[in-house]
């Protein structure tokens, strides 16, 4: 049947939201070539909304160039990639072609970012091949709510081809560079009969590998760190029944430290020489962008960045939060903060505080970044723990709660913390104690994640005499910097321009899948394979791993989006640059493969053993579960 307009969304849940919020008399579920769609009446016309699953097209090499054994990897630099249908997307392409002949207008309701613009032009490419006379309208929204969707549909804009060209240029470069170096590395070890399992390969990526470099770099710094022993004198002091500790670093001279300890260990009293207590303001957090969100989800909730963003996107699709891919840390004037805050006057343990803010008035915090596309991440409707846990799981609630509490915190008052410092004299040796007390919680009322631990000291004045309960001398060792946390790694990626807010967590995940590093207790630890790969490449062609190189590429890609540079020129320029790196690596590839062979065997042998242990534990657990079931059944 003919439609007045077809709405194409990026996800099925968003397509359903368009039908639900625009329909005048309800909607009907239909199927177009096996793809679920929603038929409804809007402004007297017949509309159909359909959801995709992200990108439906991709770039690949012509079929004859996908034979690894017969095509030298270097040849890929001289081949123009072609459009192909992504695996699993054939039915969506077929549905779009069918619909192209059943309407005159297509409303592109893809995610409102550069990546979404790329998908929009994939839709244009597919549908216009069937019906060149189609009119395409782009709608832009940051939240899947009725008001946002209605506003978007009533103010369509033209699709931005420059943004799409940037996306496609990056896709072509990542394909060419990644495939050529991946094949070179993989084939070099396969020819030496490595123990690389069938179907596995040594991947290189222009984003993935610089990320690995940052992780390995920290490990190398740890190894180069020279530990030193030093000695700390600690005194346990008491005044009016209150006990606290003061200490002093006596340095690295053990004999000197012991001499001071021997002199003081029998001293019974100490005198306060100075006591300070300063109240400082602690500012609430600034509005939440993607990278900060992923970092906080990792630090506060122990939820990996990739999983956290996936959950956030699901919450967005169902209308609970705004679009989670944003670089903005400034609330736009069009966002009604009072209305949003009012949703939480009866929410959890924060309702009373939100009511206070609304009565008193508030000034939101703000950062410096504004991508001119989306507001910071914020809740778009109130939800309860029971509601979200029942429908989306416990982690969905944790993510939603973080977003909601962070939003409220950005509207909140400053906290006040008293910082205390006491200096005491112990037979002429000065020791120091530091304490902390929260004077006014402010935003900590609703944002417990950032609340510091209180370590209050007694209130003292100069000249007060303290009882010495105990004195001890501790030998300590200076510690190397810790392995990178995922939040630190994301910050470094942002600094160097590695990836986008939409892809950064994917580059971390890819390294983990390739067994280049693991994440243990929130820390990124390189495997022997990942470390050897980076160290070998650093010796042969360091530009392949240094993060500044990817940053340079991203800077040129950004100029495509602004119209300053032609996309084909940027692609050719970057290909030439990496072709030089390729030739340098190829000339010494035997050296690199010799280094990699033993660690490939080690890493995959360990992975196999870990899998066997896991399977064994699962079989044991299954037997125990079944035995309990039989016993329980027998009792009945």
């Amino acid at each position: 049947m003919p439609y007045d307009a077809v709405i194409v969304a990026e996800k099925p849940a968003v397509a359903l939201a368009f039908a639900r919020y625009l329909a005048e008399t309800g909607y009907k579920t239909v199927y177009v070539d096996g793809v679920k769609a929603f038929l409804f009446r809007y402004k007297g016309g017949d509309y159909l909304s359909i959801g995709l699953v992200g990108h439906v097209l991709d770039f690949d090499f012509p079929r004859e160039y996908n034979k690894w054994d017969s095509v030298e990897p270097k040849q890929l630099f001289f081949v123009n990639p072609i459009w192909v249908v992504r695996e699993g997307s054939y039915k969506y392409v077929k549905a779009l072609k069918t619909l192209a002949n059943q309407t005159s207008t297509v409303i592109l309701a893809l995610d409102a970012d550069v990546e979404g613009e790329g998908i929009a032009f994939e839709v244009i490419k597919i549908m216009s091949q069937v019906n060149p006379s189609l009119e395409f309208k782009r709608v832009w929204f940051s939240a899947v709510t009725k008001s946002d969707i209605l506003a978007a549909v009533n103010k369509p804009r033209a699709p931005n081809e420059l943004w799409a060209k940037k996306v496609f240029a990056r896709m072509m470069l990542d394909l060419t560079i990644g495939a050529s170096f991946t094949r070179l590395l993989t084939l070099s070890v396969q020819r030496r009969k490595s123990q690389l399992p069938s179907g596995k390969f040594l991947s290189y990526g222009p984003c993935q590998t610089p990320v690995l470099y940052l992780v390995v770099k920290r490990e190398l710094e740890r190894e180069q760190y020279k530990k030193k022993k030093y000695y700390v004198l600690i005194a346990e002091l008491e005044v009016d029944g209150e006990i606290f500790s003061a200490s002093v670093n006596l340095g690295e001279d053990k004999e000197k430290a012991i001499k001071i300890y021997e002199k003081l260990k029998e001293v019974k009293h100490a005198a306060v020489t100075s006591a300070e207590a300063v109240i400082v303001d602690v500012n609430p957090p600034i509005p939440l962008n993607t990278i900060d969100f992923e970092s906080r989800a990792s630090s506060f909730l122990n939820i990996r960045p990739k999983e956290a963003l996936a959950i956030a996107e699901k919450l967005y699709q169902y209308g609970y939060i705004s679009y989670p891919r944003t670089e903005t840390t400034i609330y736009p004037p069009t966002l009604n903060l009072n209305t949003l805050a009012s949703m939480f006057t009866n929410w959890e343990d924060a309702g009373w505080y939100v009511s206070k803010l609304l009565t008193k008035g508030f000034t939101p915090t703000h950062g410096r970044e504004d991508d001119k596309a989306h507001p910071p991440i914020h809740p778009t409707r109130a939800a309860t723990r029971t509601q979200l846990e029942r429908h989306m799981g416990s982690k969905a609630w944790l993510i939603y709660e973080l977003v909601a509490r962070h939003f409220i915190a950005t509207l909140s008052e400053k906290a006040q913390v008293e910082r205390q410092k006491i200096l005491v004299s112990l037979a002429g040796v000065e020791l120091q104690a530091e304490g902390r007390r929260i004077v006014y919680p402010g935003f900590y009322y609703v944002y417990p994640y950032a609340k510091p631990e209180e370590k209050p000291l007694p209130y003292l004045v100069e000249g007060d005499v303290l009882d010495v309960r105990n004195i001890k001398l501790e030998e300590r060792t200076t510690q190397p910097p810790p392995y990178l946390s995922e939040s630190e790694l994301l910050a470094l990626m942002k600094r160097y321009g590695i990836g986008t807010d939409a892809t950064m967590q994917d580059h971390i995940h890819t390294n983990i899948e390739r067994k280049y590093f693991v994440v243990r207790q929130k820390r990124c630890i390189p495997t022997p394979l990942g470390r050897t790969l980076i160290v070998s490449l650093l010796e042969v062609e360091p530009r392949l791993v240094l993060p500044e190189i990817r940053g340079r590429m991203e800077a040129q890609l950004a100029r495509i989006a602004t119209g300053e540079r032609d996309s084909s020129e940027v692609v050719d320029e970057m290909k030439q640059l990496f072709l030089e790196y390729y030739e340098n690596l190829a000339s010494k590839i035997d050296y690199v493969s010799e280094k990699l062979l033993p660690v490939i065997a080690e890493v995959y042998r360990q992975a196999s053993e870990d899998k066997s242990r896991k399977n064994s534990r699962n079989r044991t657990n299954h037997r125990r579960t079944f035995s309990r079931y039989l016993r329980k059944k027998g009792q009945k």
Side-chain angles (χ1 to χ4, degrees):
M1 65 175 288
Y3 304 108
D4 291 276
V6 168
I7 300 171
V8 182
E10 195 159 322
K11 299 290 191 301
V14 180
L16 174 59
F18 268 81
R20 182 183 295 126
Y21 295 139
L22 297 182
E24 295 170 346
T25 56
Y27 62 87
K28 179 182 178 183
T29 300
V30 298
Y31 286 87
V32 181
D33 295 312
V35 179
K36 183 184 288 188
F38 308 96
L39 178 63
F40 58 94
R41 298 280 294 176
Y42 175 62
K43 290 186 175 180
D46 290 319
Y47 278 62
L48 182 135
S49 63
I50 188 169
L52 308 178
V53 285
H55 285 279
V56 289
L57 299 180
D58 204 348
F59 287 100
D60 199 358
F61 300 109
R63 184 174 299 175
E64 61 268 24
Y65 289 93
N66 284 325
K67 299 176 181 178
W68 286 35
D69 292 332
S70 59
V71 176
E72 183 187 359
K74 180 179 176 179
Q75 294 184 41
L76 301 181
F77 284 96
F78 306 100
V79 179
N80 290 322
I82 59 173
W83 284 106
V84 296
V85 177
R86 284 206 173 195
E87 186 177 354
S89 294
Y90 288 94
K91 68 176 182 179
Y92 297 98
V93 172
K94 187 177 180 182
L96 290 173
K97 287 181 177 180
T98 298
L99 292 171
N101 280 322
Q102 297 178 355
T103 188
S104 59
T105 303
V106 178
I107 297 174
L108 301 165
L110 292 310
D111 287 349
D113 59 9
V114 173
E115 209 68 28
E117 212 69 15
I119 300 172
F121 273 85
E122 292 171 21
V123 174
I124 292 173
K125 180 179 179 66
I126 293 165
M127 300 185 77
S128 60
Q129 285 177 345
V130 176
N131 184 355
S133 64
L134 282 172
E135 179 186 11
F136 293 94
K137 298 179 180 180
R138 180 76 161 102
V139 294
W140 198 267
F141 52 97
S142 294
V144 186
T145 63
K146 186 172 184 176
S147 59
D148 283 82
I149 285 176
L150 286 172
V153 170
N154 288 324
K155 289 186 67 175
R157 59 174 72 179
N160 189 328
E161 188 174 9
L162 291 177
W163 281 22
K165 285 184 175 181
K166 173 187 175 182
V167 173
F168 300 149
R170 181 190 285 116
M171 290 167 66
M172 286 189 282
L173 283 171
D174 286 349
L175 170 67
T176 300
I177 295 168
S180 58
F181 284 98
T182 295
R183 292 189 192 185
L184 176 63
L185 289 166
T186 303
L187 292 171
S188 71
V189 298
Q190 285 179 343
R191 287 165 184 157
R192 292 172 173 269
K193 298 183 179 179
S194 76
Q195 295 186 30
L196 195 63
S198 176
K200 300 295 183 181
F201 49 88
L202 291 178
S203 70
Y204 172 91
C207 282
Q208 167 202 325
T209 306
V211 170
L212 176 60
Y213 164 79
L214 294 171
V215 172
V216 173
K217 180 173 179 283
R218 175 57 63 86
E219 181 178 63
L220 296 176
E221 290 170 352
R222 284 173 54 83
E223 291 178 359
Q224 293 166 4
Y225 182 86
K226 294 182 178 179
K227 293 183 179 182
K228 296 180 180 179
K229 291 182 179 180
Y230 65 100
Y231 299 88
V232 176
L233 184 75
I234 303 170
E236 189 179 83
L237 307 169
E238 182 178 4
V239 59
D240 296 331
E242 292 191 65
I243 299 171
F244 67 99
S245 294
S247 62
V248 60
N249 186 338
L250 298 178
E252 300 173 21
D253 190 328
K254 183 175 182 179
E255 291 185 6
K256 180 182 176 182
I258 292 174
K259 186 179 292 184
I260 294 173
Y261 169 71
E262 292 294 336
K263 171 186 172 184
L264 300 179
K265 68 180 183 179
E266 301 301 332
V267 174
K268 299 300 181 184
H269 300 285
V272 176
T273 58
S274 173
E276 298 177 1
V278 179
I279 295 177
V280 297
D281 289 336
V282 182
N283 291 322
I286 63 174
L288 199 59
N289 65 13
T290 305
I291 303 304
D292 194 22
F293 159 72
E294 291 174 337
S295 296
R296 290 172 187 261
S298 175
S299 299
F300 297 155
L301 308 177
N302 197 25
I303 298 177
R304 300 280 312 288
K306 183 176 178 64
E307 184 181 11
L309 188 57
I311 294 170
E313 287 185 328
K314 192 173 181 182
L315 289 167
Y316 154 73
Q317 292 163 22
Y318 287 96
Y320 289 103
I321 67 173
S322 64
Y323 190 55
R325 298 179 188 267
T326 175
E327 298 176 8
T328 302
T329 55
I330 304 169
Y331 291 127
T334 53
L335 198 63
N336 192 325
L337 300 178
N338 275 284
T339 299
L340 290 173
S342 296
M343 300 187 303
F344 296 95
T345 52
N346 296 310
W347 187 72
E348 297 292 312
D349 58 353
W352 70 272
Y353 187 72
V354 175
S355 297
K356 174 186 173 183
L357 290 175
L358 290 169
T359 301
K360 183 179 178 181
F362 55 80
T363 300
T365 61
H366 63 85
R368 297 179 179 179
E369 299 168 302
D370 188 354
D371 62 12
K372 306 297 183 184
H374 298 288
I377 305 170
H378 62 274
T380 51
R381 64 167 158 153
T384 65
R385 178 190 296 269
T386 302
Q387 177 185 1
L388 276 181
E389 288 187 341
R390 181 187 302 124
H391 296 292
M392 300 176 70
S394 59
K395 287 185 178 180
W397 164 253
L398 293 175
I399 293 294
Y400 173 82
E401 184 182 28
L402 172 62
V403 170
R405 289 186 181 277
H406 193 102
F407 168 71
I408 298 169
T410 64
L411 313 180
S412 297
E413 307 157 294
K414 297 178 180 179
Q416 290 187 321
V417 176
E418 183 182 67
R419 294 177 180 168
Q420 305 163 305
K421 184 169 76 172
I422 296 174
L423 300 179
V424 300
S425 176
L426 199 64
V429 178
E430 189 173 74
L431 288 76
Q432 178 175 300
E434 292 185 349
R436 179 173 54 238
R437 186 196 313 269
I438 296 175
V439 178
Y440 179 65
F443 72 95
Y444 293 145
Y445 279 127
V446 294
Y447 203 67
Y449 316 103
K451 187 176 181 180
E453 181 182 355
E454 292 190 83
K455 296 180 179 179
L457 295 174
Y459 287 111
L460 301 171
V461 297
E462 183 179 345
D464 281 347
V465 176
L466 314 172
D467 293 330
V468 180
R469 290 169 54 96
N470 183 41
I471 294 179
K472 60 182 177 180
L473 182 66
E474 286 188 357
E475 180 183 89
R476 297 180 182 176
T477 305
T478 57
Q479 296 299 312
Y483 287 105
L484 281 179
S485 67
E486 284 190 277
S487 58
E488 289 175 299
L489 183 54
L490 286 166
L492 287 171
M493 292 169 69
K494 182 178 181 181
R495 181 197 303 174
Y496 288 111
I498 303 174
T500 66
D501 58 350
T503 62
M504 287 184 182
Q505 75 289 335
D506 290 327
H507 302 314
I508 295 175
H509 184 69
T510 300
N511 273 294
I512 294 170
E513 282 194 325
R514 300 291 182 260
K515 303 191 185 305
Y516 290 158
F517 66 76
V518 297
V519 177
R520 293 196 188 111
Q521 297 179 336
K522 304 182 185 180
R523 297 287 173 180
C524 302
I525 304 171
T527 65
L529 177 57
R531 175 196 169 110
T532 303
L533 177 62
I534 291 299
V535 171
S536 300
L537 293 178
L538 276 171
E539 292 182 48
V540 173
E541 180 46 84
R543 291 173 294 183
L544 280 173
V545 304
L546 297 178
E548 292 86 354
I549 303 301
R550 180 65 192 202
R552 187 187 308 169
M553 182 189 295
E554 287 292 343
Q556 296 307 313
L557 290 169
R559 295 179 68 187
I560 297 173
T562 59
E564 297 174 66
R565 295 209 61 183
D566 179 77
S567 60
S568 60
E569 289 179 359
V570 172
V571 170
D572 289 343
E573 180 183 301
M574 290 296 119
K575 278 187 178 182
Q576 285 299 315
L577 188 67
F578 276 84
L579 178 58
E580 177 188 343
Y581 304 161
Y582 178 93
E583 290 174 336
N584 289 343
L585 175 60
S587 67
K588 299 179 181 178
I589 193 62
D590 289 343
Y591 170 79
V592 174
S593 60
E594 284 289 345
K595 295 280 189 180
L596 291 171
L597 285 173
V599 293
I600 289 173
E602 178 184 348
V603 167
Y604 278 98
R605 182 178 62 251
Q606 182 64 48
S608 177
E609 291 172 357
D610 290 345
K611 184 177 181 180
S612 295
R613 282 194 292 269
K614 182 178 180 181
N615 289 339
S616 177
R617 285 196 300 270
N618 288 340
R619 285 193 296 269
T620 301
N621 291 335
H622 292 161
R623 284 196 298 269
R624 288 173 178 168
T625 300
F626 187 60
S627 296
R628 284 196 296 269
Y629 166 76
L630 291 177
R631 288 197 299 270
K632 186 176 181 181
K633 190 174 181 181
Q635 288 172 359
K636 290 183 178 180

